[in-house]
Amino acid sequence: MDTTNHASADTERGRHETPTERWDRNWIDIQQELRIVQTGTQILAGFLLTLPFQQRFSTLTDAQETVYLVLVVLAVVVTVVALSAVATHRLVFRQRQKHDLVRVGNAVLLTALIASALLFAGTVLFVFDVVVGDAGGLIGGAAVFVGTALLWTALPLSLRRTRRDDG
């Protein structure tokens, strides 16, 4: 990879950093974003794990129980995927592989976000299904899924089209 073109492009945009400094900054950004994903997921996972101990849980249909179990697995998947960035960092620590860590961290974060979107939509589907019925669950889950997809893909893609940073 030719870093001189990237370095000169960064300088033109007001950044005066070496490629190593850029990798360090990118890794710090990924770590912060992973913290946000993990916190929200851990709270949701904690909520999900308390449900079987509630009195109404025994009244769930087989389909609702299946959705519930899928949600528990998704919560665990998000947590494990997010933590894989931590494990990877520990194993490549001081190996001069920050660029590889940033690339892997980006993929890990995107995977965690996709699983989180499914988890959030599924949780709304589950809660609405239990409270107001099948149709409410499907509408609520679909609304959250579509809303999340728009906010997490359409919004960033529209910003990427401008490709300028005047600040």
Side-chain angles (χ1 to χ4, degrees), residues 6-18 21-22 25-26 29 165 167:
H6 292 290
S8 64
D10 285 343
T11 301
E12 290 172 14
R13 287 186 233 138
R15 287 210 189 269
H16 303 285
E17 60 187 1
T18 66
E21 290 169 332
R22 185 176 59 252
R25 178 178 49 81
N26 290 339
D29 289 348
D165 189 0

PDB file of all heavy atoms in Angstrom, residues 6-18 21-22 25-26 29 165 167:
ATOM      1  N   HIS A   6      -1.731   8.581   0.605  1.00  0.00           N
ATOM      2  CA  HIS A   6      -2.671   8.762   1.705  1.00  0.00           C
ATOM      3  C   HIS A   6      -2.205   9.865   2.645  1.00  0.00           C
ATOM      4  O   HIS A   6      -2.991  10.662   3.099  1.00  0.00           O
ATOM      5  CB  HIS A   6      -2.865   7.455   2.490  1.00  0.00           C
ATOM      6  CG  HIS A   6      -3.569   6.404   1.712  1.00  0.00           C
ATOM      7  ND1 HIS A   6      -4.893   6.497   1.398  1.00  0.00           N
ATOM      8  CD2 HIS A   6      -3.123   5.246   1.162  1.00  0.00           C
ATOM      9  CE1 HIS A   6      -5.249   5.430   0.693  1.00  0.00           C
ATOM     10  NE2 HIS A   6      -4.187   4.658   0.532  1.00  0.00           N
ATOM     11  N   ALA A   7      -0.918   9.907   2.924  1.00  0.00           N
ATOM     12  CA  ALA A   7      -0.388  10.921   3.836  1.00  0.00           C
ATOM     13  C   ALA A   7      -0.564  12.308   3.237  1.00  0.00           C
ATOM     14  O   ALA A   7      -0.975  13.232   3.928  1.00  0.00           O
ATOM     15  CB  ALA A   7       1.083  10.642   4.140  1.00  0.00           C
ATOM     16  N   SER A   8      -0.289  12.467   1.927  1.00  0.00           N
ATOM     17  CA  SER A   8      -0.449  13.777   1.315  1.00  0.00           C
ATOM     18  C   SER A   8      -1.922  14.164   1.242  1.00  0.00           C
ATOM     19  O   SER A   8      -2.272  15.327   1.425  1.00  0.00           O
ATOM     20  CB  SER A   8       0.197  13.819  -0.070  1.00  0.00           C
ATOM     21  OG  SER A   8      -0.447  12.922  -0.940  1.00  0.00           O
ATOM     22  N   ALA A   9      -2.802  13.184   0.998  1.00  0.00           N
ATOM     23  CA  ALA A   9      -4.239  13.474   0.989  1.00  0.00           C
ATOM     24  C   ALA A   9      -4.700  13.911   2.372  1.00  0.00           C
ATOM     25  O   ALA A   9      -5.500  14.830   2.505  1.00  0.00           O
ATOM     26  CB  ALA A   9      -5.025  12.255   0.520  1.00  0.00           C
ATOM     27  N   ASP A  10      -4.186  13.256   3.422  1.00  0.00           N
ATOM     28  CA  ASP A  10      -4.539  13.645   4.785  1.00  0.00           C
ATOM     29  C   ASP A  10      -4.028  15.042   5.095  1.00  0.00           C
ATOM     30  O   ASP A  10      -4.706  15.826   5.743  1.00  0.00           O
ATOM     31  CB  ASP A  10      -3.977  12.645   5.804  1.00  0.00           C
ATOM     32  CG  ASP A  10      -4.752  11.344   5.831  1.00  0.00           C
ATOM     33  OD1 ASP A  10      -5.888  11.333   5.321  1.00  0.00           O
ATOM     34  OD2 ASP A  10      -4.228  10.354   6.353  1.00  0.00           O
ATOM     35  N   THR A  11      -2.825  15.362   4.638  1.00  0.00           N
ATOM     36  CA  THR A  11      -2.264  16.684   4.880  1.00  0.00           C
ATOM     37  C   THR A  11      -3.108  17.739   4.180  1.00  0.00           C
ATOM     38  O   THR A  11      -3.379  18.792   4.746  1.00  0.00           O
ATOM     39  CB  THR A  11      -0.795  16.741   4.388  1.00  0.00           C
ATOM     40  OG1 THR A  11      -0.060  15.754   5.086  1.00  0.00           O
ATOM     41  CG2 THR A  11      -0.189  18.096   4.629  1.00  0.00           C
ATOM     42  N   GLU A  12      -3.548  17.458   2.952  1.00  0.00           N
ATOM     43  CA  GLU A  12      -4.388  18.400   2.229  1.00  0.00           C
ATOM     44  C   GLU A  12      -5.697  18.646   2.960  1.00  0.00           C
ATOM     45  O   GLU A  12      -6.272  19.722   2.884  1.00  0.00           O
ATOM     46  CB  GLU A  12      -4.681  17.871   0.820  1.00  0.00           C
ATOM     47  CG  GLU A  12      -3.474  17.893  -0.091  1.00  0.00           C
ATOM     48  CD  GLU A  12      -3.742  17.188  -1.405  1.00  0.00           C
ATOM     49  OE1 GLU A  12      -4.911  16.923  -1.725  1.00  0.00           O
ATOM     50  OE2 GLU A  12      -2.758  16.884  -2.108  1.00  0.00           O
ATOM     51  N   ARG A  13      -6.182  17.662   3.686  1.00  0.00           N
ATOM     52  CA  ARG A  13      -7.431  17.790   4.434  1.00  0.00           C
ATOM     53  C   ARG A  13      -7.202  18.341   5.841  1.00  0.00           C
ATOM     54  O   ARG A  13      -8.120  18.376   6.635  1.00  0.00           O
ATOM     55  CB  ARG A  13      -8.136  16.437   4.523  1.00  0.00           C
ATOM     56  CG  ARG A  13      -8.753  16.027   3.217  1.00  0.00           C
ATOM     57  CD  ARG A  13      -9.555  14.756   3.379  1.00  0.00           C
ATOM     58  NE  ARG A  13      -9.065  13.828   2.373  1.00  0.00           N
ATOM     59  CZ  ARG A  13      -8.847  12.552   2.558  1.00  0.00           C
ATOM     60  NH1 ARG A  13      -9.092  12.003   3.705  1.00  0.00           N
ATOM     61  NH2 ARG A  13      -8.398  11.794   1.603  1.00  0.00           N
ATOM     62  N   GLY A  14      -5.995  18.701   6.163  1.00  0.00           N
ATOM     63  CA  GLY A  14      -5.733  19.292   7.465  1.00  0.00           C
ATOM     64  C   GLY A  14      -5.153  18.348   8.493  1.00  0.00           C
ATOM     65  O   GLY A  14      -4.837  18.763   9.596  1.00  0.00           O
ATOM     66  N   ARG A  15      -4.999  17.080   8.196  1.00  0.00           N
ATOM     67  CA  ARG A  15      -4.400  16.121   9.126  1.00  0.00           C
ATOM     68  C   ARG A  15      -2.910  16.037   8.822  1.00  0.00           C
ATOM     69  O   ARG A  15      -2.516  15.875   7.676  1.00  0.00           O
ATOM     70  CB  ARG A  15      -5.026  14.741   8.974  1.00  0.00           C
ATOM     71  CG  ARG A  15      -6.403  14.662   9.531  1.00  0.00           C
ATOM     72  CD  ARG A  15      -6.651  13.245  10.011  1.00  0.00           C
ATOM     73  NE  ARG A  15      -8.030  13.078  10.368  1.00  0.00           N
ATOM     74  CZ  ARG A  15      -8.490  13.280  11.599  1.00  0.00           C
ATOM     75  NH1 ARG A  15      -7.697  13.627  12.556  1.00  0.00           N
ATOM     76  NH2 ARG A  15      -9.769  13.102  11.850  1.00  0.00           N
ATOM     77  N   HIS A  16      -2.144  16.120   9.870  1.00  0.00           N
ATOM     78  CA  HIS A  16      -0.696  15.971   9.739  1.00  0.00           C
ATOM     79  C   HIS A  16      -0.292  14.801  10.615  1.00  0.00           C
ATOM     80  O   HIS A  16       0.162  14.972  11.728  1.00  0.00           O
ATOM     81  CB  HIS A  16       0.027  17.256  10.158  1.00  0.00           C
ATOM     82  CG  HIS A  16      -0.423  18.449   9.385  1.00  0.00           C
ATOM     83  ND1 HIS A  16      -0.041  18.677   8.076  1.00  0.00           N
ATOM     84  CD2 HIS A  16      -1.251  19.472   9.713  1.00  0.00           C
ATOM     85  CE1 HIS A  16      -0.602  19.791   7.643  1.00  0.00           C
ATOM     86  NE2 HIS A  16      -1.343  20.295   8.605  1.00  0.00           N
ATOM     87  N   GLU A  17      -0.524  13.598  10.097  1.00  0.00           N
ATOM     88  CA  GLU A  17      -0.216  12.396  10.874  1.00  0.00           C
ATOM     89  C   GLU A  17       0.482  11.382   9.995  1.00  0.00           C
ATOM     90  O   GLU A  17       0.262  11.322   8.791  1.00  0.00           O
ATOM     91  CB  GLU A  17      -1.486  11.805  11.496  1.00  0.00           C
ATOM     92  CG  GLU A  17      -2.534  11.391  10.508  1.00  0.00           C
ATOM     93  CD  GLU A  17      -3.853  10.955  11.144  1.00  0.00           C
ATOM     94  OE1 GLU A  17      -4.000  10.981  12.376  1.00  0.00           O
ATOM     95  OE2 GLU A  17      -4.742  10.576  10.368  1.00  0.00           O
ATOM     96  N   THR A  18       1.298  10.590  10.632  1.00  0.00           N
ATOM     97  CA  THR A  18       1.982   9.511   9.929  1.00  0.00           C
ATOM     98  C   THR A  18       0.987   8.371   9.736  1.00  0.00           C
ATOM     99  O   THR A  18      -0.062   8.336  10.398  1.00  0.00           O
ATOM    100  CB  THR A  18       3.181   9.007  10.747  1.00  0.00           C
ATOM    101  OG1 THR A  18       2.679   8.387  11.938  1.00  0.00           O
ATOM    102  CG2 THR A  18       4.152  10.135  11.078  1.00  0.00           C
ATOM    103  N   GLU A  21       0.299   6.875  13.078  1.00  0.00           N
ATOM    104  CA  GLU A  21      -0.618   7.697  13.890  1.00  0.00           C
ATOM    105  C   GLU A  21      -2.057   7.530  13.409  1.00  0.00           C
ATOM    106  O   GLU A  21      -2.989   7.489  14.217  1.00  0.00           O
ATOM    107  CB  GLU A  21      -0.207   9.165  13.834  1.00  0.00           C
ATOM    108  CG  GLU A  21       1.075   9.464  14.569  1.00  0.00           C
ATOM    109  CD  GLU A  21       1.616  10.854  14.293  1.00  0.00           C
ATOM    110  OE1 GLU A  21       1.351  11.401  13.193  1.00  0.00           O
ATOM    111  OE2 GLU A  21       2.318  11.389  15.169  1.00  0.00           O
ATOM    112  N   ARG A  22      -2.237   7.412  12.083  1.00  0.00           N
ATOM    113  CA  ARG A  22      -3.585   7.209  11.534  1.00  0.00           C
ATOM    114  C   ARG A  22      -4.143   5.860  11.981  1.00  0.00           C
ATOM    115  O   ARG A  22      -5.302   5.756  12.386  1.00  0.00           O
ATOM    116  CB  ARG A  22      -3.567   7.306  10.005  1.00  0.00           C
ATOM    117  CG  ARG A  22      -4.972   7.223   9.396  1.00  0.00           C
ATOM    118  CD  ARG A  22      -4.998   7.424   7.882  1.00  0.00           C
ATOM    119  NE  ARG A  22      -4.193   6.452   7.184  1.00  0.00           N
ATOM    120  CZ  ARG A  22      -3.021   6.716   6.575  1.00  0.00           C
ATOM    121  NH1 ARG A  22      -2.514   7.924   6.590  1.00  0.00           N
ATOM    122  NH2 ARG A  22      -2.358   5.749   5.949  1.00  0.00           N
ATOM    123  N   ARG A  25      -5.163   6.157  15.588  1.00  0.00           N
ATOM    124  CA  ARG A  25      -6.426   6.905  15.704  1.00  0.00           C
ATOM    125  C   ARG A  25      -7.602   6.043  15.263  1.00  0.00           C
ATOM    126  O   ARG A  25      -8.651   5.999  15.932  1.00  0.00           O
ATOM    127  CB  ARG A  25      -6.356   8.188  14.859  1.00  0.00           C
ATOM    128  CG  ARG A  25      -7.637   9.017  14.883  1.00  0.00           C
ATOM    129  CD  ARG A  25      -7.495  10.300  14.063  1.00  0.00           C
ATOM    130  NE  ARG A  25      -6.951  10.127  12.745  1.00  0.00           N
ATOM    131  CZ  ARG A  25      -7.648   9.717  11.681  1.00  0.00           C
ATOM    132  NH1 ARG A  25      -8.930   9.403  11.803  1.00  0.00           N
ATOM    133  NH2 ARG A  25      -7.076   9.606  10.495  1.00  0.00           N
ATOM    134  N   ASN A  26      -7.444   5.329  14.163  1.00  0.00           N
ATOM    135  CA  ASN A  26      -8.523   4.459  13.680  1.00  0.00           C
ATOM    136  C   ASN A  26      -8.842   3.365  14.694  1.00  0.00           C
ATOM    137  O   ASN A  26     -10.014   3.027  14.906  1.00  0.00           O
ATOM    138  CB  ASN A  26      -8.154   3.841  12.335  1.00  0.00           C
ATOM    139  CG  ASN A  26      -8.150   4.858  11.215  1.00  0.00           C
ATOM    140  OD1 ASN A  26      -8.749   5.912  11.303  1.00  0.00           O
ATOM    141  ND2 ASN A  26      -7.441   4.549  10.155  1.00  0.00           N
ATOM    142  N   ASP A  29     -10.854   4.802  17.524  1.00  0.00           N
ATOM    143  CA  ASP A  29     -12.243   4.990  17.089  1.00  0.00           C
ATOM    144  C   ASP A  29     -13.015   3.669  17.143  1.00  0.00           C
ATOM    145  O   ASP A  29     -14.144   3.616  17.621  1.00  0.00           O
ATOM    146  CB  ASP A  29     -12.298   5.545  15.660  1.00  0.00           C
ATOM    147  CG  ASP A  29     -11.849   6.989  15.550  1.00  0.00           C
ATOM    148  OD1 ASP A  29     -11.702   7.654  16.603  1.00  0.00           O
ATOM    149  OD2 ASP A  29     -11.625   7.439  14.414  1.00  0.00           O
ATOM    150  N   ASP A 165     -14.719  17.412   3.942  1.00  0.00           N
ATOM    151  CA  ASP A 165     -14.666  17.761   5.358  1.00  0.00           C
ATOM    152  C   ASP A 165     -14.115  19.171   5.436  1.00  0.00           C
ATOM    153  O   ASP A 165     -12.911  19.385   5.339  1.00  0.00           O
ATOM    154  CB  ASP A 165     -13.763  16.769   6.119  1.00  0.00           C
ATOM    155  CG  ASP A 165     -13.845  16.934   7.614  1.00  0.00           C
ATOM    156  OD1 ASP A 165     -14.592  17.819   8.082  1.00  0.00           O
ATOM    157  OD2 ASP A 165     -13.154  16.194   8.323  1.00  0.00           O
ATOM    158  N   GLY A 167     -14.296  21.132   7.956  1.00  0.00           N
ATOM    159  CA  GLY A 167     -13.995  21.589   9.315  1.00  0.00           C
ATOM    160  C   GLY A 167     -12.700  21.263   9.773  1.00  0.00           C
ATOM    161  O   GLY A 167     -11.667  21.078   9.760  1.00  0.00           O
TER     162      GLY A 167
END
